[in-house]
Amino acid sequence: MDLERRVKRRHFLVLLFMTLVWAGLLVRLWWIQLWASHRFSRHGVDLVKNAVKQRQQSIVLHSGRGDILDRNGYPFTGEEQLALLLFPLARGSLQENGGWRRLAEIVRVPETMLEDVMTKAKAPLMLRQTDGRLVPLSERQADQVNALGIPGVVALKVTERYRADEVAKHVIGYIHRNPELVRTLYPDEWAEGKMNADSTVGASGLERSFDRFLQGVEPSVLSYYVDGEGKPLKGLDIRYTRQENQYYPLSLVTTLDADLQRRLERVADSAGLREGAIVVLDATHADVLAMVSRPQYDQTKVDVQQGAWRNRAVKQITPGSVFKTVVAAAALAEGLVSPTERFVCRGDYGKYGFSCWKRDGHGALTMEEAFAQSCNITFAEIAKRIGGDKLEAYARRLGLSSPVGYVTPHLFKLDGFRQVDGEEQGRVFAEQVSRQDEGVLIQTAIGQRDVRVTPLQAANLMVTILRGGQPGQVRLVSEIAYRNGQTFFRFPEHRLPESGIDYVTAKKMRRLLRLVVTEGTGRMLLQAPWPVAGKSGTAQTGAGDGSNHLWFVGYTPVDTPRYAIAVVAAHQPAGETTRAMEIFRRAVEAIAEWPGQSSPLRAGSSPE
């Protein structure tokens, strides 16, 4: 009797356990179906959308994201064009009744090319040329393609966000899918289901800094529903979802000029600039007209670890003798030296292994001659008079110790909003380094040791001197605009909070910068089409192979300055000394030939 009771008890417990498990599974299924169908697991997977995707072949015609434009309205992020859309489900229809031949004749490509593309296709695609660009179609060709009535073969207008031959890629940046970043940046939208694991966010450049404004409407999508064999499902014809909104997505109107940008990128590539940057600023407003970074990268296939996507124009690098501009300004402003005071350079300082670049020395020379000839010994002596603390203070006053890109204290939901993504701040001394140590100070005076400056800061330094010593913020975006062209928000000019230098000192610096070209290390720039003033720099990389970072920073034309330019050619081999000046000269030539020299910002976006 006891045995029978124990058996029944065991059966009851097993049945109870199975019932609880079954009930748990039902509750779990009910929860997934009703409550978590659009946000399953911590990754926020939309089960409904994924279920539909299993029977759906889709291609995105427009991302729904806002565009990034140059100052004249040219879109850096793609333009609408007619393209041939091919779905794998069309293979069967194309093989019948000479479909391959008829389609090839219309779009004017080899029949074998079409067959090869479609045979390999596992997902819908846009027909491309061998260089990656879309095969262009006319309105007439598009009508002929669509008249064929072949399911899965369609000609429509599409907008690709990134084009292979586009410019300013480092400034624009790129987008990617990152669920954790989406959840961190957009917690409210994530909780409401407006954004999920499939949402894209800006990863770098303007795509990142203005991501909240560029996040637009739902993408425009063309879809077919297919069965298990990939054939169109009867009754479910082609579907085209397109969002029509008068105001959104928003667009960015940058201060860049696409034509000038393209010209300067050609300059960089033809001159063999493999690593470095070119920055051109409007000398009046400190607006970025062009910003080139090398090495180049593909916005659609980004190797994050390799790092080519980083914008070298806003990354700090050793400036070499360009920093003598700060030393000279500090000494003149403080009355510690006059331009005509004489010094003696014998080539060797006598200790610390410090010497002048000219082995036998420059002999007797004035301060202004020392600046033009970039004499290390003279500037070591001048730096000792200034002292480390004052030298660091003047670098800060001239905008070389903090980011100079445009900052807005509060912009809608964003505090301390910065236009320029990834901009580094620069420095004079490393932490815990003595400002009174003579060996440290003389190395700092020639822009070596711990000194770091970004090309953007260096170009803005020229603008500061041209403005009479008052530093301003560098603007990259002039306004955010609604889709209909009306202004959503305009960015007025801002000055940096630094005190700068006095007008008399700035005027003296302009004379010194001109002497560099007429009598000093920059004489090869006398061949430029416009008069140039500026400062050269050669900085040791410390790599042990004798390589250097080569600089030239200046402005042009001298009498009526309109453009401040910074050029950096990084990691140049030993013995190469003129690469940066050669690129600078070519840049001036490109600007002189540029039709849009005086092109204003787009109507309605002028500075306030």
Side-chain angles (χ1 to χ4, degrees):
M1 201 68 181
D2 290 340
L3 178 60
E4 183 179 352
R5 192 180 295 114
R6 283 199 299 271
V7 170
K8 287 182 178 181
R9 182 180 177 80
R10 285 197 196 102
H11 288 170
F12 172 76
L13 291 175
V14 170
L15 288 172
L16 179 61
F17 174 74
M18 293 179 66
T19 300
L20 291 174
V21 170
W22 182 251
L25 290 173
L26 288 175
V27 170
R28 173 71 168 169
L29 183 60
W30 173 82
W31 178 78
I32 292 173
Q33 290 285 347
L34 297 181
W35 291 98
S37 57
H38 294 284
R39 187 60 57 79
F40 180 69
S41 83
R42 65 186 183 88
H43 297 293
V45 178
D46 192 319
L47 296 177
V48 175
K49 286 187 177 181
N50 278 275
V52 172
K53 283 181 181 179
Q54 292 180 358
R55 289 291 177 264
Q56 185 182 24
Q57 290 185 0
S58 302
I59 190 166
V60 176
L61 308 183
H62 190 291
S63 67
R65 193 173 173 87
D67 282 324
I68 301 175
L69 315 172
D70 88 334
R71 58 174 47 209
N72 300 309
Y74 173 85
F76 288 115
T77 47
E79 59 185 351
E80 195 174 59
Q81 57 186 312
L82 282 166
L84 179 63
L85 312 178
L86 299 171
F87 288 72
L89 60 89
R91 278 193 287 254
S93 300
L94 286 170
Q95 289 170 354
E96 301 171 357
N97 302 320
W100 295 116
R101 176 182 52 76
R102 287 185 294 157
L103 184 58
E105 287 176 352
I106 293 172
V107 299
R108 297 171 190 169
V109 298
E111 184 178 338
T112 53
M113 172 185 169
L114 274 177
E115 290 188 35
D116 183 60
V117 167
M118 286 296 287
T119 300
K120 296 177 180 177
K122 295 182 179 179
L125 55 86
M126 303 177 194
L127 187 62
R128 299 180 183 277
Q129 303 176 71
T130 53
D131 61 3
R133 290 182 296 175
L134 292 175
V135 172
L137 297 181
S138 65
E139 293 280 357
R140 184 170 179 273
Q141 286 174 302
D143 291 340
Q144 290 176 328
V145 167
N146 294 330
L148 293 175
I150 301 175
V153 178
V154 187
L156 280 177
K157 289 183 177 180
V158 303
T159 302
E160 289 194 288
R161 189 156 189 85
Y162 303 128
R163 298 189 295 268
D165 59 347
E166 194 48 88
V167 294
K169 294 181 180 180
H170 297 85
V171 182
I172 303 306
Y174 68 98
I175 57 176
H176 68 161
R177 284 186 174 85
N178 187 327
E180 293 302 322
L181 185 59
V182 172
R183 187 159 52 182
T184 301
L185 295 177
Y186 301 99
D188 295 340
E189 291 82 351
W190 181 274
E192 295 169 7
K194 294 179 180 178
M195 299 186 73
N196 53 44
D198 291 327
S199 301
T200 57
V201 290
S204 71
L206 293 174
E207 294 278 26
R208 180 175 180 178
S209 55
F210 283 86
D211 186 70
R212 183 169 287 276
F213 303 98
L214 292 171
Q215 288 288 345
V217 295
E218 287 293 318
S220 299
V221 179
L222 185 70
S223 303
Y224 276 96
Y225 292 91
V226 298
D227 59 20
E229 296 180 355
K231 297 178 181 179
L233 285 171
K234 293 181 180 180
L236 292 177
D237 201 357
I238 186 171
R239 293 196 177 186
Y240 181 27
T241 58
R242 183 176 183 177
Q243 299 294 328
E244 294 291 348
N245 189 302
Q246 182 181 0
Y247 299 103
Y248 295 94
L250 299 171
S251 295
L252 305 182
V253 181
T254 70
T255 60
L256 297 171
D257 186 286
D259 182 30
L260 181 60
Q261 179 76 26
R262 188 167 283 105
R263 288 168 182 266
L264 291 178
E265 293 205 11
R266 287 196 205 107
V267 165
D269 295 335
S270 64
L273 181 62
R274 296 179 179 174
E275 183 180 351
I278 305 172
V279 177
V280 180
L281 302 182
D282 177 324
T284 303
H285 304 292
D287 288 341
V288 181
L289 297 176
M291 184 181 283
V292 180
S293 178
R294 289 296 182 266
Q296 190 59 280
Y297 82 110
D298 184 346
Q299 291 163 295
T300 64
K301 301 174 183 177
V302 180
D303 186 334
V304 177
Q305 298 302 320
Q306 194 260 348
W309 56 272
R310 292 187 177 90
N311 187 356
R312 283 355 186 237
V314 298
K315 299 302 180 185
Q316 60 185 23
I317 188 172
T318 314
S321 293
V322 168
F323 191 73
K324 290 173 183 172
T325 307
V326 176
V327 180
L332 292 171
E334 292 292 320
L336 299 173
V337 65
S338 74
T340 56
E341 182 178 348
R342 301 189 71 80
F343 295 83
V344 177
C345 169
R346 297 186 175 85
D348 190 87
Y349 187 72
K351 51 185 173 179
Y352 308 116
F354 187 85
S355 62
C356 190
W357 64 268
K358 189 174 183 180
R359 184 172 298 179
D360 298 329
H362 290 94
L365 72 175
T366 64
M367 180 269 186
E368 62 182 16
E369 289 172 339
F371 186 83
Q373 297 295 334
S374 202
C375 176
N376 291 347
I377 302 301
T378 299
F379 273 82
E381 294 295 338
I382 293 173
K384 287 195 298 182
R385 297 185 190 181
I386 300 170
D389 291 334
K390 262 195 171 38
L391 193 58
E392 190 170 42
Y394 270 89
R396 182 173 60 253
R397 288 169 64 171
L398 290 167
L400 297 187
S401 298
S402 60
V404 297
Y406 196 99
V407 179
T408 303
H410 186 75
L411 184 61
F412 297 94
K413 294 183 178 181
L414 306 175
D415 293 323
F417 174 77
R418 294 185 176 276
Q419 289 190 356
V420 183
D421 174 55
E423 183 188 4
E424 296 178 346
Q425 66 178 20
R427 72 182 186 201
V428 177
F429 297 99
E431 292 183 13
Q432 311 303 323
V433 170
S434 172
R435 274 67 168 164
Q436 284 71 48
D437 185 288
E438 182 184 8
V440 171
L441 186 58
I442 63 175
Q443 286 287 343
T444 301
I446 63 171
Q448 290 285 168
R449 193 178 167 90
D450 304 319
V451 185
R452 300 291 185 272
V453 172
T454 72
L456 184 63
Q457 288 174 322
N460 195 48
L461 171 62
M462 295 295 108
V463 176
T464 298
I465 291 171
L466 293 173
R467 277 178 164 172
Q470 301 307 304
Q473 293 183 0
V474 176
R475 195 169 54 165
L476 182 56
V477 174
S478 60
E479 71 170 272
I480 305 173
Y482 286 111
R483 186 178 181 182
N484 62 7
Q486 294 178 351
T487 298
F488 172 81
F489 185 84
R490 187 173 297 158
F491 296 93
E493 287 185 53
H494 281 173
R495 293 297 173 96
L496 284 171
E498 312 301 343
S499 57
I501 56 176
D502 63 275
Y503 178 83
V504 174
T505 300
K507 188 173 181 180
K508 290 178 181 178
M509 289 305 305
R510 288 179 64 170
R511 169 176 162 76
L512 294 183
L513 292 167
R514 179 57 177 162
L515 285 174
V516 171
V517 176
T518 58
E519 301 178 17
T521 57
R523 279 192 295 270
M524 72 173 289
L525 290 172
L526 290 172
Q527 303 170 19
W530 289 343
V532 170
K535 185 70 186 78
S536 60
T538 302
Q540 298 174 355
T541 64
D545 56 0
S547 61
N548 298 305
H549 302 316
L550 303 181
W551 288 74
F552 196 87
V553 181
Y555 60 88
T556 190
V558 168
D559 294 333
T560 55
R562 297 203 297 274
Y563 309 101
I565 308 169
V567 173
V568 181
H571 295 102
Q572 296 297 301
E576 174 61 71
T577 59
T578 62
R579 178 64 59 84
M581 282 187 280
E582 173 62 20
I583 295 173
F584 191 99
R585 182 185 65 78
R586 294 192 192 187
V588 175
E589 288 178 351
I591 295 171
E593 296 170 358
W594 169 46
Q597 286 179 45
S598 302
S599 64
L601 288 171
R602 198 184 72 168
S605 61
S606 58
E608 292 180 348

